[in-house]
Amino acid sequence: AGAYVLPDSLDRRPPRAVAVSAERLGEIERVVRRGIEVGAYPGAAVSVGRRGTLVLQRGYGRLSWRANSAAVDPARSIYDIA
């Protein structure tokens, strides 16, 4: 079995162009921001796609709890999920 290679970039479109609810995207943002506020995690990268297009790509918070930690970059931040 070969590895699947993602394209360098996806087309970006407004959510409504691919039938994605802006309200639901807003709920994702509220949940992520709330998690940071209550100390569940220092930051997060969120990407949402549909029908081969990217409708949301945003970084929130920092990469670690350190005050001088870099901000999350949704296109470049890599997480170790264990």
Side-chain angles (χ1 to χ4, degrees), residues 28-41:
I28 291 169
E29 185 162 333
R30 283 187 291 280
V31 168
V32 172
R33 288 187 187 280
R34 181 69 179 141
I36 293 169
E37 288 171 10
V38 300
Y41 39 83

Side-chain angles (χ1 to χ4, degrees), residues 23-71:
E23 291 80 23
R24 293 194 83 181
L25 292 177
E27 184 61 25
I28 291 169
E29 185 162 333
R30 283 187 291 280
V31 168
V32 172
R33 288 187 187 280
R34 181 69 179 141
I36 293 169
E37 288 171 10
V38 300
Y41 39 83
V46 176
S47 296
V48 177
R50 179 150 195 227
R51 298 181 182 158
T53 65
L54 192 59
V55 296
L56 172 69
Q57 185 176 40
R58 188 166 296 150
Y60 303 88
R62 306 231 164 250
L63 291 175
S64 77
W65 297 109
R66 292 186 324 253
N68 64 346
S69 179

